[in-house]
Amino acid sequence: MTTYDVYAKNCPTRLVLDRLADKWALLVLNRLREESVRFNQLRRDVEGVSQKVLTQTLRNLERDGLIHRQVFPTVPVTVEYSLTPLGQTLTKTVAALAHWAEENFDAVLAAQQSFDASRTSHAHMR
């Protein structure tokens, strides 16, 4: 088995981190946590994502083996997405990140405002 070092400049695991650091990927993975979801439902649930970006995100997650795309031969064709067993291994981590952002946003915003205010006051002192 190959040993990877995420801190090494050319380590291929950084590509996986890039994918998982994407907000749309995190939101899609979190939305699929409990059930299979159709494309249009995902588009409604993940507000602000364009059809093009959602399609690209889903394709990338499918390529990485994190989600499964199932096509039903209906008219029009129905497509559902679900987590694969590999994708399921991320559910706790993804949910924790999403909830952390919700629970700590006010503290982050306050820190940003404090930082920006201190930078502005330092600029005036020069």
Side-chain angles (χ1 to χ4, degrees):
M1 187 164 104
T2 306
T3 303
Y4 297 102
D5 178 4
V6 75
Y7 294 101
K9 179 172 58 174
N10 295 319
C11 185
T13 59
R14 287 189 177 189
L15 299 173
V16 175
L17 285 180
D18 281 344
R19 178 91 65 239
L20 297 178
D22 176 71
K23 70 179 173 189
W24 301 121
L26 286 175
L27 291 170
V28 166
L29 289 169
N30 201 43
R31 178 58 186 90
L32 295 176
R33 200 172 56 168
E34 295 177 12
E35 63 183 347
S36 298
V37 180
R38 291 182 180 179
F39 181 88
N40 285 328
Q41 185 64 50
L42 265 174
R43 205 167 103 203
R44 284 190 295 274
D45 291 346
V46 182
E47 294 180 10
V49 69
S50 68
Q51 181 169 339
K52 178 183 176 186
V53 170
L54 180 57
T55 298
Q56 184 179 342
T57 299
L58 290 166
R59 190 172 296 125
N60 289 336
L61 291 171
E62 183 182 10
R63 182 172 182 259
D64 291 344
L66 300 175
I67 64 170
H68 174 72
R69 178 179 187 266
Q70 185 169 6
V71 180
F72 297 94
T74 55
V75 179
V77 171
T78 303
V79 180
E80 274 189 2
Y81 294 89
S82 58
L83 292 178
T84 63
L86 181 61
Q88 288 285 346
T89 65
L90 279 169
T91 58
K92 287 180 184 168
T93 303
V94 169
L97 279 171
H99 294 304
W100 185 93
E102 291 170 340
E103 292 169 6
N104 293 286
F105 181 74
D106 289 338
V108 171
L109 185 60
Q112 289 173 346
Q113 290 169 344
S114 175
F115 179 87
D116 293 346
S118 72
R119 303 286 290 187
T120 303
S121 65
H122 288 320
H124 290 299
M125 297 172 101
R126 291 183 184 163

